[in-house]
Amino acid sequence: MGRIVVIGAGLGALAAAARLAVAGHTVTVYERTSTYGGAVGRFERDGFAFDTGPGLLHLPAVYRDLFVKTGKKPLEECVGLSQVDPAARHVFADGTRVDLPNASRAGTVAALDAALGAGAGERWGDFLVRAREAWDRTRRPLLEEPQPADPRTLAREPYPALKAGLLRRATRTLAQVGERELRDPRLTALLAAYAEAYGFPAASAPASAAVLPYMEQTFGSWYVAGGMRALADAVYERCRERRVEFVFDAPVDEVVTEGGRAVGVRLESGERVAADHVVAGAPLPALYREQVVPWERADEWPAFQGHGTSRLTVLLALRGAREEGAVHRTVVHGGGRRPTATVLRPDDPALRPDDDHESVTVSALVDPAPGQDRAELAGWLVEAAGRAVPGLAERLLWQEVRTPEDVREATGAPEVPGPALADGGGGWLPAANLSPVPGLYFVGGWSHPGGGLAHAGMSGALVAGLIVEGAEFRGSR
């Protein structure tokens, strides 16, 4: 068995570390900050607690598999999991509201018909049928297998566009799907919100992003008791149980290569650490642009083609109890120049000082460039939260704004990576787990199969499989 160095302690890196330790490898994780979890962070003040990264979990089976494969206690004995129902309340720009049930296509169709008018639900249901076809075509190569050596097989659009007469109309973006097939600005906004939740503007996201609403509405949305940070705690403890060693406050300066192969890392302190394999969970291209591919050629490699989106988040500490009938997630559609805002109100005693207070998180997709007026955007987010939380202005004790600069501090890059998507000539694919340098592997949201909690966990499984079974590994079946 070998010595393995893991760079970074995000969820994907932790998932790989636990699996590799179970396989008998000696695993050491070097993390540049003082804690683990990467984007899955926590902010605490005055008895209030907030997730600063993802607030909900999709495809919990990914972490169930991790816990089954790495120890005796299953996931549900380590964290409390519950389905969020309704999955979301949508508040559209014209004031229309609709509550969508969790993982119920029939319920969703009925709710949309009731709120938006007869036929709206049927159009959405027909769209989901086409989205399922795209899911079936891409699920295994995009989620369950290492990225193919020739990613051009994923460069074609898998979404089956509607026919116009005897021919199919070219539908290249998700926004075109909404305009041509849903034919209602509120349904179009609903579709766009699913992509924006992963950092993809609908106007530029490929039509294959239709798999995102299909995935959520089919497999459901889940909440982890204590907040998503509790999931990071559980995965970290599983790593410790498997004797994974952690070294915090230890930035890695470079991957050391000899004879064209990765043989270890050099820390910022100057210390060199030898390894048989190096697993890199740090964001790309910051660490590897000069070692994996020359910077002047960076635009030729999908790993360096970021889509330039991040998140602005406002944490709200409120006085007063959460009202009866409040929903966990409300999506407030802005319209015009105002972004869509997601308001999370978990009914969780672990996140508030007592039952006479409430913690609320509201976030939106933003440009990571520092030139935007953050104060204006934060003001809109608080206004949007007021459309989801009765009497918010009178209840507000204080607020904390988390900018893309805070995202950079936590993760190493201000952008928030989204999941891998087909089409676009391969431009929506992240770095392959198997790097061009032998002995060096990529894991986490910046690598295949991309960003999101479930996808990060999948990347850990893929990297562990490639190291344990070799480059011929094709995923679990």
Side-chain angles (χ1 to χ4, degrees):
M1 294 294 106
R3 300 164 299 171
I4 297 179
V5 164
V6 177
I7 305 171
L11 264 290
L14 295 182
R19 290 175 181 273
L20 289 167
V22 166
H25 294 282
T26 300
V27 184
T28 304
V29 178
Y30 291 89
E31 165 58 42
R32 67 181 185 85
T33 71
S34 59
T35 189
Y36 51 86
V40 186
R42 173 63 61 90
F43 179 84
E44 297 181 359
R45 174 181 162 188
D46 300 339
F48 293 90
F50 306 84
D51 283 323
T52 57
L56 293 172
L57 176 64
H58 307 294
L59 296 178
V62 173
Y63 288 93
R64 291 192 181 108
D65 181 72
L66 171 65
F67 277 73
V68 165
K69 300 289 177 57
T70 60
K72 295 181 179 179
K73 285 187 177 181
L75 177 64
E76 277 82 354
E77 288 188 22
C78 299
V79 298
L81 273 180
S82 59
Q83 282 193 302
V84 175
D85 204 5
R89 170 174 293 162
H90 287 264
V91 180
F92 296 102
D94 66 355
T96 306
R97 296 181 173 227
V98 59
D99 288 357
L100 300 183
N102 199 334
S104 171
R105 178 181 168 186
T108 296
V109 168
L112 290 173
D113 274 340
L116 308 186
E122 181 180 4
R123 290 196 299 279
W124 183 261
D126 290 344
F127 155 73
L128 287 181
V129 171
R130 293 185 288 277
R132 177 178 179 174
E133 187 171 336
W135 169 266
D136 290 341
R137 290 174 176 176
T138 61
R139 174 184 59 84
R140 185 153 185 85
L142 277 184
L143 298 180
E144 300 174 1
E145 297 178 345
Q147 197 176 102
D150 184 359
R152 287 177 297 180
T153 59
L154 292 170
R156 296 184 293 274
E157 175 57 65
Y159 181 78
L162 284 177
K163 286 186 177 180
L166 297 177
L167 302 175
R168 288 192 182 275
R169 295 180 68 181
T171 303
R172 306 304 304 173
T173 69
L174 195 67
Q176 288 176 329
V177 171
E179 178 184 357
R180 296 174 179 178
E181 301 179 18
L182 299 178
R183 304 190 307 278
D184 183 310
R186 295 164 298 184
L187 287 179
T188 301
L190 174 64
L191 175 61
Y194 284 99
E196 291 172 2
Y198 286 95
F200 295 139
S204 57
S208 63
V211 300
L212 301 177
Y214 173 80
M215 180 179 70
E216 180 174 326
Q217 292 197 1
T218 301
F219 303 108
S221 302
W222 300 74
Y223 178 69
V224 177
M228 212 53 60
R229 181 65 182 181
L231 177 63
D233 293 341
V235 177
Y236 172 71
E237 288 303 322
R238 179 55 55 91
C239 286
R240 293 291 302 272
E241 292 168 5
R242 302 281 75 83
R243 301 185 184 279
V244 174
E245 182 181 355
F246 287 85
V247 183
F248 294 105
D249 299 308
V252 172
D253 257 3
E254 65 173 323
V255 174
V256 178
T257 60
E258 291 181 1
R261 178 182 176 83
V263 295
V265 299
R266 182 173 289 109
L267 306 183
E268 188 180 74
S269 65
E271 178 186 357
R272 176 169 164 169
V273 181
D276 298 296
H277 303 278
V278 176
V279 176
L284 299 172
L287 192 55
Y288 305 107
R289 62 191 183 193
E290 296 173 358
Q291 300 179 48
V292 174
V293 63
W295 181 241
E296 61 270 17
R297 289 181 48 234
D299 59 352
E300 299 176 21
W301 201 42
F304 298 111
Q305 296 177 9
H307 297 287
T309 53
S310 189
R311 300 221 163 270
L312 183 72
T313 302
V314 183
L315 314 176
L316 304 174
L318 306 183
R319 64 169 65 88
R322 187 177 186 270
E323 77 277 8
E324 186 176 353
V327 299
H328 188 115
R329 175 172 54 164
T330 301
V331 180
V332 180
H333 299 265
R337 297 181 59 189
R338 289 182 163 179
T340 295
T342 299
V343 183
L344 297 179
R345 304 179 64 191
D347 187 10
D348 190 339
L351 305 185
R352 58 189 184 233
D354 52 51
D355 288 344
D356 290 325
H357 294 84
E358 182 183 6
S359 62
V360 173
T361 302
V362 54
S363 62
L365 180 72
V366 297
D367 189 324
Q372 275 191 318
D373 188 336
R374 305 290 193 223
E376 180 182 352
L377 284 173
W380 155 244
L381 292 187
V382 175
E383 180 183 337
R387 300 178 68 185
V389 183
L392 182 140
E394 294 75 27
R395 297 178 59 194
L396 184 61
L397 290 171
W398 51 262
Q399 67 184 52
E400 176 79 14
V401 178
R402 311 286 293 182
T403 69
E405 288 72 33
D406 295 308
V407 175
R408 180 195 294 275
E409 180 65 25
T411 67
E415 294 86 0
V416 176
L421 297 173
D423 195 27
W428 295 86
L429 299 176
N433 306 114
L434 191 64
S435 90
V437 177
L440 174 63
Y441 305 82
F442 296 142
V443 75
W446 294 91
S447 65
H448 184 75
L453 282 173
H455 295 75
M458 293 176 197
S459 76
L462 292 174
V463 166
L466 287 167
I467 292 176
V468 173
E469 299 186 26
E472 68 278 4
F473 172 72
R474 301 313 304 159
S476 300
R477 292 186 181 272

